[in-house]
Amino acid sequence: MSVLERVKEAAETLTPAEQQLIKQVIASPRDIALGTASGLAQRIGVHEATASRLAKKLGYANYAEFRAAIQEEFIVRTDPATRVRNTLQQTSEAGLITDLVSREIEALAGLQRYVDDAKLHAAAQALLKARRIYVFARGNAEALAVLIDRRLRRMGRDTIMLAGEGRDLAEQVLGMDGDDAIVAFAFRRQPTHYAALLNHARAKQATSVVISGSVGPSLVPAAEHLLFAPRTGSQDAFQTLTVPMAICNALVLAMATQDPDASLQYLETLGQLIDAFN
C-alpha cells in the first residue's frame, strides 16, 4: 500500500498536527524524504514525537521506515520534474514570467503521480450517473467552481451551485438523495461546512468527488473520489490554480469520452440555442 493510500485510510484519525505534517510531506516530498523526523516537525512547530507517532499510525514500524517509503514513492518518480526545474532555473534571471512558467511546468509535470486515468475515469463515471451535481467551493476555489459548473451544464448535466452560509447550504441540499453527486474543492485548508456537506452526502448515499491540493488526503470525511495534486508554489507562498484547473478540464473530458454521443449532442443543441438567442 502506498503512502498516499495509507494517509487516505487513516485520514479520519489524524490529529490537526498530524494533518499539518501530511501537508508538508505531500507538498515537499523530496525535502522530507531526505530529512529527519525533527526536521519535519520543526517545519510546522510540533514535537519530534508527533512525526514518529504519525509514522506508526500509518502502519510503519518507525519514522525511518516511513521516510524510506516516501523515498521509494516520490524521489524516483520526481526526477523528470526535477530535471525540468533545474533546466528552467538556469534561465530564471529572465524575470517574473520565466520563474512562474518554470514552477507551473514543474507542478503540471508531477500531476500524473497523483491523478491517473483510473481515478479520473472512476470519478467521471460517477458524475455521469448522477441526476444532479452540487458544486461547492470557498475562496479562490470559487473560480474553478464556476468553470466546472458551466462546463457540466454545457454537457447537459443539471447542476446546483452551493452558496451562502450554514442555513443557506442546508436549504440548498435539502433535496439531495442517492441519485445525486457533489463536487467540492479544498486547497489550503478544509473549508468551513465541508464536513457537514460531505457527511450529509454520505448519509444520503450521494456520490462525492473532491478536487484538492496538498490538503486532500487529510480531509475529513474522505470523499469517495479524491482527485488531488500539489499546486504551484509552496504552502506558505503564492499558489496558482493551474494544476486544479487541469484536473477539472481532464475530468470533464473524461466524462465526454465515456459518453461522447450525448455530450456532442448537447453541445450541438447549445450552439443552435446560442444562434437563436443572438
Side-chain angles (χ1 to χ4, degrees), residues 33-75:
L34 298 177
T36 62
S38 60
L40 173 58
Q42 288 175 4
R43 281 174 173 256
I44 64 169
V46 300
H47 195 276
E48 180 179 344
T50 304
S52 298
R53 285 196 298 269
L54 172 62
K56 293 180 179 179
K57 186 173 289 188
L58 296 179
Y60 298 101
N62 49 47
Y63 186 81
E65 185 175 306
F66 176 42
R67 184 177 60 185
I70 296 173
Q71 293 172 350
E72 174 67 22
E73 187 163 341
F74 293 99
I75 292 298

Side-chain angles (χ1 to χ4, degrees), residues 137-176:
R138 286 289 186 264
N140 291 339
E142 292 176 7
L144 295 181
V146 171
L147 170 71
I148 201 166
D149 173 66
R150 187 163 190 168
R151 294 201 165 171
L152 289 173
R153 283 189 284 112
R154 291 168 68 92
M155 295 175 63
R157 317 311 302 181
D158 290 331
T159 63
I160 298 176
M161 181 74 81
L162 298 174
E165 296 305 317
R167 179 181 294 273
D168 303 310
L169 293 172
E171 292 175 355
Q172 292 163 35
V173 300
L174 185 61
M176 181 185 287

